[in-house]
Amino acid sequence: MDQPIRLKNNGQISIVLNSQKRKTYTKELPESQAAPKVIPAEHTALKEIEEELGALVGMEEMKKMIKEIYAWIYVNKKREEAGLKAGKQALHMMFKGNPGTGKTTVARLIGKLFQKMNVLSKGHLIEAERADLVGEYIGHTAQKTRDLVKKAIGGILFIDEAYSLGRGGEKDFGKEAIDTLVKHMEDRQHDFILILAGYSREMNHFLTLNPGLHSRFPLVVDFPDYSIEQLMEIGQRMLKEREYSLSHESEKKLREHLHFVKTNLSPNSFSNGRYIRNILEKSIRAQAMRLLMQNSYDKQDLMTIRSNDLVFEEAD
């Protein structure tokens, strides 16, 4: 797996997606011991999730990680059937990365997989942010947080920009939300999965705010920014699904623009997949207006996004 998983001293597993290839020297196993490359037909849950993962650009290490979690849970069940120890492990996760790198999409797929494997009874995803947890007076925050956890029972509670709970100082009610979450992570650790997401640096600081936080996230996943080629692939897939295509000139113009924004914008300001989606949605509307004004509806024209249809943010 090219070392995307690193076990830290506290037992926490850190996963780095798209990690650089490293030279490894391994002794080849005899054919009888080699792991099968084809997944047995009985694992329909994994096959279904793999098909959905296949539609995602990049994230190769995430795809491997999901397989490994599946294998671990499945083998644990087999150990239990054989009368061996098969202790349950909490599967709370932390996703670190910039906006638009696929964190919410992956969380939703994990919910589906765990529901199919009976790890979660429902597998639904409850999305929340600071305003959904933090109240206006003493005791209000704990109640709001408990209510959210209750809604997430049997599924996943996904809190984006979780580091915002730690802003505001000692008197801020965000700390109360953190303390309540930590308690429920312990008391109901096998009833739901908590996924906290946000920028890498801010999430590292967030972990220091409560002594019980760090040890309660066995899976920490880094979501890197998409490359220009990956962003172009995301855009091409979106257009193909809607039966559109870029002209040669518009493809060149879009690629040059992406190079410009990735060079000039700070990583935290660039929304990756979300950015390319917004550009293409605006450009499709611009194309519609151009065709209306030209009163031209040839099939090829209806499908083609031309360079003057591309709409970029003025701030860029």
Side-chain angles (χ1 to χ4, degrees), residues 277-287 309 311 313:
R277 184 182 69 232
N278 289 342
I279 284 178
L280 294 180
E281 286 178 350
K282 289 177 183 176
S283 300
I284 286 171
R285 294 195 294 271
Q287 183 240 35
D309 297 324
V311 180
E313 295 291 334

Side-chain angles (χ1 to χ4, degrees), residues 246-311:
L246 295 170
S247 69
H248 177 74
E249 285 302 315
S250 62
E251 182 177 342
K252 180 182 175 184
K253 183 178 176 181
L254 178 58
R255 190 183 298 273
E256 288 173 351
H257 174 74
L258 290 174
H259 184 270
F260 172 81
V261 293
K262 281 183 71 68
T263 302
N264 291 278
L265 285 184
S266 71
N268 288 3
S269 302
F270 183 62
S271 58
N272 286 279
R274 201 175 303 147
Y275 185 87
I276 196 82
R277 184 182 69 232
N278 289 342
I279 284 178
L280 294 180
E281 286 178 350
K282 289 177 183 176
S283 300
I284 286 171
R285 294 195 294 271
Q287 183 240 35
M289 180 58 73
R290 174 175 59 81
L291 294 178
L292 185 71
M293 298 301 288
Q294 291 176 350
N295 196 28
S296 172
Y297 308 107
D298 175 77
K299 184 176 181 181
Q300 191 62 36
D301 287 337
L302 291 168
M303 293 176 64
T304 306
I305 303 295
R306 304 203 177 280
S307 61
N308 57 337
D309 297 324
L310 291 175
V311 180

Side-chain angles (χ1 to χ4, degrees), residues 1-20:
M1 197 171 161
D2 294 336
Q3 301 181 2
I5 296 181
R6 297 165 191 160
L7 189 63
K8 298 182 179 179
N9 293 334
N10 59 8
Q12 189 180 61
I13 296 174
S14 179
I15 298 149
V16 182
L17 305 188
N18 294 336
S19 58
Q20 290 185 342

Side-chain angles (χ1 to χ4, degrees), residues 160-172:
D160 202 6
E161 296 184 4
Y163 52 82
S164 63
L165 294 173
R167 291 177 174 171
E170 284 297 317
K171 295 181 180 179
D172 185 74

